[in-house]
């Protein structure tokens, strides 16, 4: 009986070492998951703050700029910065009556137009939803309290695009809006 007990003494030590290794591995995994969860939460927070900054920058530009001059580089706001850039695009319109929802252009509109978006012809604002061939289509006439009117050939269709980018830490978010010039 004595020899059988002597052979079993090392089994307890091996089992204890195995349990310690498994518990250490589980502890390491829990710490890693907590760290990853915290990092994800911080990234989500910074991304939301960057979006708020971009939207705030857009509102700031609209309140302080004028005639498509909405350029503000790297202004500090809260825990980050925002930058706004404006771009004025234009194209020439063929003759257009006061009721049509299609704006005919003699050539394809420049790629700098953002559609869906607002374009301005003379004093009328139009909210257009698509481009088909050489025309803006799905246009709501007399948008933003302007008056739908007939337009002569050669009238300029213009659009001001404002792009605002908010940055907080490594997070960056961008919003865009179209306004009449």
């Amino acid at each position: 009986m004595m020899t059988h007990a002597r052979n079993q003494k090392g089994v307890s030590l091996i089992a204890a070492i195995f349990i310690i290794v498994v518990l250490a591995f589980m502890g390491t995994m829990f710490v890693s998951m907590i760290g990853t969860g915290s990092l994800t939460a911080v990234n989500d927070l910074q991304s939301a703050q960057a979006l708020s900054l971009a939207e705030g920058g857009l509102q700031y530009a609209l309140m302080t700029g004028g005639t498509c001059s909405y350029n503000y580089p790297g202004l500090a706001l809260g825990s980050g910065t925002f930058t706004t850039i404006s771009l004025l695009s234009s194209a020439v319109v063929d003759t257009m009556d006061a009721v049509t929802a299609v704006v005919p252009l003699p050539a394809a509109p420049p790629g700098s137009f953002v559609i869906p978006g607002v374009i301005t012809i003379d004093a009328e604002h139009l909210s257009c939803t698509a481009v088909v061939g050489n025309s803006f289509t799905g246009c709501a006439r007399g948008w933003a309290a302007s008056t739908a009117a007939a337009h002569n050939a050669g009238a300029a269709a213009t659009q001001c695009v404002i792009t605002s980018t908010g940055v907080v830490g490594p997070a960056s978010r961008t919003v865009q809006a179209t306004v009449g010039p």
Side-chain angles (χ1 to χ4, degrees), residues 32-59:
S32 175
M33 288 190 324
I34 289 171
T36 302
S38 297
L39 183 61
T40 301
V42 168
N43 288 342
D44 286 346
L45 175 65
Q46 288 177 335
S47 180
Q49 288 174 333
L51 179 60
S52 293
L53 276 171
E55 290 172 346
L58 183 63
Q59 292 303 314

Side-chain angles (χ1 to χ4, degrees), residues 36-102:
T36 302
S38 297
L39 183 61
T40 301
V42 168
N43 288 342
D44 286 346
L45 175 65
Q46 288 177 335
S47 180
Q49 288 174 333
L51 179 60
S52 293
L53 276 171
E55 290 172 346
L58 183 63
Q59 292 303 314
Y60 179 81
L62 290 171
M63 296 299 290
T64 59
T67 318
C68 205
S69 59
Y70 304 99
N71 300 312
Y72 300 99
L75 295 179
L77 181 64
S79 60
T81 61
F82 69 86
T83 300
T84 60
I85 299 168
S86 56
L87 174 66
L88 182 64
S89 301
S90 64
V92 176
V93 176
D94 279 346
T95 304
M96 183 176 160
D97 64 29
V99 294
T100 186
V102 175

Side-chain angles (χ1 to χ4, degrees), residues 103-156:
V103 180
L105 304 173
S112 58
F113 278 91
V114 174
I115 301 296
V118 177
I119 61 172
T120 301
I121 304 172
D122 297 327
E124 179 185 359
H125 302 297
L126 299 91
S127 178
C128 299
T129 59
V131 174
V132 175
N134 294 346
S135 299
F136 295 110
T137 61
C139 298
R141 303 291 305 271
W143 190 77
S146 65
T147 302
H151 302 286
N152 296 324

Side-chain angles (χ1 to χ4, degrees), residues 13-29:
L13 181 60
I14 292 172
I17 291 172
F18 178 74
I19 290 172
I20 290 171
V21 169
V22 168
L23 289 175
F25 177 74
M26 289 175 53
T28 302
M29 293 307 297

